[in-house]
Amino acid sequence: MENDEYVDSSSASDVGDGPPSTSPSSSVDSANLEGEALPIEFDTALPVEHNYLGENLEELRGRTVLDDGSFQLLPLLPQPGVVLVPGQTLPLMVFYPPTVSMLRKIISTNGTFGVICVRYFEASNPKMANVGTTAEIYEYRDEEDLAGFRIKAKGRQRFRVMESQRQVDGNVTATVKILPEVILPDSLHGVRDRSLDRYRSEQVNLSRSVSTANGIRLRRQQAISRRDSMMTVWPHWVHNQYNATTLSCRVKVHLSYLKLGSTAARLQLPEDPTELSYWVAQAMPLLDEQRLSLLQINSPIQRLRWELCVLEKCQMLCCRDCDAEVADPRETFSMSVEGPQGTYVNPGGFVHETLTLHKAEGLRCLNEDPSTEYSWFPGYAWTIAECRYCHKHMGWKFTAIHRLMKPQKFWGVCRRSIVTKLVTEEDLEPVL
């Protein structure tokens, strides 16, 4: 897919809802017992594979874990507009020969490098952020007859840049400090009733219904917590503000509208508070500055509190340039098992973090034929979409190439093209 930052508005028009009449690449049983065609449910595991990068990628095995608080000398790969989060998948196509040479050396060692966000405050004055995330290569393809060095990497650990230097070949290396994950103890641990400890160790799955035995365990633990809080000067609700289990439950309630593909199944969210805090940071359409602020927070409890505040105030997704309303956040859904916002790379090597939406009222498509070339979602053709008001490139509209595919259409919006409009105290004041 190409990144068209400028689009001639004279060639833009509304595109019809009907998908192209192109035959699908996969076969399906075309009739059920009643003789009617069966719908084709999109396989949400496909986008995670990034098959557009090619087949037969070589796999790197093993895992590198750097000690918390240690100082490491890492090669850095600056990326404009990309703030990598631990757990996030990063596909890359690299063409610059010195960078390709650097990646080959990384693959021959531990497969780990640092990803740092580059921001352009002025057109000729790019600046690197002071925090980033290590990335570990798990698949790559390096062939002479292939355009670009192709890799798939996974975000691992946060770091702070202590000192950086640019080498003669243009590559950047830096001395970084690996930031720790500070797990705060339960605020009621010191005053707890030890006779009830056997109930505290019960495992509670927050993604299951509270009507089951799982819900009974959850309510029992909450009752025990209220009993413990009676031994302190603070009421129970204050302690809940810093309880990892309670915060995780509240975050999941706010994200309960997320569905997987066109089905009614809910998206399975991580149970671990640390993993959940990173998953939400990856899934939310945040600005680069907001993501960088989250990377500087060492406690998952504090990250969840910050994210919960944004989720509670999120009102509308707007165009970053003209502030026009683009879509309701509740139109967000997941076309990938990794979440509603995925990271993809186009043939030119430009990385796009793309949020998938059912509807986007503030967008329109160019008057051109949909293309399946290099599609990030197999079975769908894409058309460039722009803001209906300022004509800024916003993303793409994806239409199914088969009339039975579900969903038949959806929008993919670039994270860097939108901004989240939050409810303020002024918005909540009654109009007199």
Side-chain angles (χ1 to χ4, degrees):
M1 301 177 61
E2 298 179 358
N3 173 40
D4 288 52
E5 290 295 332
Y6 173 77
V7 181
D8 184 5
S9 60
S10 63
S11 63
S13 63
D14 293 335
V15 176
D17 294 338
S21 58
T22 309
S23 299
S25 57
S26 59
S27 60
V28 67
D29 184 6
S30 60
N32 57 15
L33 297 178
E34 299 178 356
E36 297 179 354
L38 291 173
I40 306 172
E41 295 291 347
F42 178 73
D43 185 356
T44 52
L46 291 177
V48 181
E49 299 296 328
H50 299 279
N51 292 325
Y52 55 88
L53 291 176
E55 299 178 353
N56 302 321
L57 274 70
E58 296 189 45
E59 184 178 351
L60 287 181
R61 297 185 179 275
R63 171 75 187 273
T64 300
V65 179
L66 305 175
D67 293 335
D68 289 346
S70 64
F71 292 88
Q72 305 285 338
L73 182 62
L74 286 180
L76 295 187
L77 187 60
Q79 286 290 308
V82 176
V83 183
L84 187 66
V85 176
Q88 182 178 354
T89 302
L90 178 66
L92 290 173
M93 287 187 63
V94 181
F95 301 93
Y96 186 52
T99 306
V100 173
S101 178
M102 178 190 75
L103 291 173
R104 286 174 177 155
K105 292 179 181 178
I106 292 171
I107 289 172
S108 65
T109 56
N110 60 3
T112 300
F113 61 97
V115 177
I116 202 82
C117 178
V118 176
R119 293 177 292 172
Y120 289 84
F121 297 99
E122 298 177 5
S124 59
N125 186 27
K127 290 187 178 181
M128 292 195 309
N130 63 345
V131 291
T133 302
T134 64
E136 189 171 18
I137 300 173
Y138 64 91
E139 286 186 5
Y140 72 97
R141 189 176 182 186
D142 183 14
E143 298 178 7
E144 296 294 337
D145 59 342
L146 194 66
F149 188 84
R150 308 181 180 199
I151 68 170
K152 301 177 190 176
K154 184 76 74 173
R156 295 302 189 193
Q157 295 172 273
R158 300 171 300 115
F159 64 80
R160 184 180 301 278
V161 177
M162 309 305 294
E163 183 181 5
S164 64
Q165 59 181 3
R166 188 173 295 275
Q167 299 176 339
V168 177
D169 58 3
N171 290 327
V172 180
T173 60
T175 300
V176 304
K177 180 180 181 181
I178 304 300
L179 298 178
E181 287 297 327
V182 180
I183 307 301
L184 299 177
D186 187 350
S187 61
L188 295 171
H189 180 76
V191 297
R192 73 189 190 282
D193 186 345
R194 297 179 185 272
S195 65
L196 300 175
D197 281 353
R198 64 182 183 276
Y199 297 113
R200 302 179 206 276
S201 60
E202 293 178 328
Q203 296 296 321
V204 177
N205 188 334
L206 297 178
S207 61
R208 295 180 58 187
S209 172
V210 295
S211 62
T212 63
N214 178 76
I216 296 176
R217 290 194 295 269
L218 177 60
R219 290 192 293 271
R220 182 159 51 198
Q221 291 189 9
Q222 291 173 341
I224 294 173
S225 178
R226 285 192 292 270
R227 176 190 175 98
D228 291 339
S229 65
M230 296 172 62
M231 304 299 294
T232 71
V233 297
W234 302 106
H236 180 250
W237 66 267
V238 174
H239 294 279
N240 273 345
Q241 302 299 312
Y242 299 90
N243 182 276
T245 302
T246 302
L247 289 172
S248 297
C249 188
R250 291 176 62 189
V251 166
K252 291 186 177 186
V253 168
H254 279 280
L255 296 175
S256 60
Y257 64 88
L258 284 178
K259 299 296 185 291
L260 190 59
S262 61
T263 67
R266 290 185 179 181
L267 188 64
Q268 294 298 316
L269 305 184
E271 292 296 325
D272 180 73
T274 301
E275 295 179 4
L276 179 62
S277 69
Y278 287 134
W279 188 94
V280 176
Q282 173 187 343
M284 293 173 63
L286 303 174
L287 299 176
D288 290 345
E289 294 77 8
Q290 295 172 321
R291 270 198 178 186
L292 289 171
S293 297
L294 282 174
L295 285 184
Q296 298 187 62
I297 300 175
N298 293 334
S299 168
I301 288 179
Q302 296 290 18
R303 283 195 296 269
L304 287 172
R305 282 172 51 81
W306 190 98
E307 292 160 353
L308 185 60
C309 181
V310 174
L311 287 171
E312 290 175 341
K313 295 180 179 180
C314 185
Q315 185 180 41
M316 188 63 64
L317 301 179
C318 302
C319 174
R320 188 170 183 176
D321 280 15
C322 68
D323 205 34
E325 294 184 355
V326 172
D328 188 326
R330 298 189 69 85
E331 294 295 341
T332 303
F333 76 110
S334 182
M335 282 292 288
S336 167
V337 292
E338 288 191 338
Q341 186 166 256
T343 309
Y344 309 96
V345 61
N346 69 7
F350 201 84
V351 177
H352 291 280
E353 292 179 273
T354 305
L355 182 73
T356 49
L357 303 165
H358 283 297
K359 297 179 182 179
E361 301 296 336
L363 303 183
R364 66 176 183 177
C365 298
L366 299 190
N367 188 17
E368 58 184 21
D369 293 331
S371 172
T372 58
E373 183 181 3
Y374 216 79
S375 178
W376 299 331
F377 302 94
Y380 287 86
W382 54 270
T383 310
I384 295 175
E386 64 177 6
C387 176
R388 193 179 288 271
Y389 304 97
C390 70
H391 312 300
K392 164 80 173 179
H393 172 261
M394 298 292 289
W396 305 267
K397 181 180 181 180
F398 292 87
T399 52
I401 62 176
H402 192 278
R403 62 183 181 84
L404 299 179
M405 182 71 77
K406 296 181 63 177
Q408 272 289 289
K409 61 181 179 179
F410 64 93
W411 300 84
V413 182
C414 297
R415 179 180 67 85
R416 63 170 54 90
S417 299
I418 56 176
V419 62
T420 303
K421 182 179 179 182
L422 303 180
V423 178
T424 63
E425 293 183 0
E426 295 179 357
D427 297 329
L428 298 177
E429 292 180 356
V431 180
L432 300 179

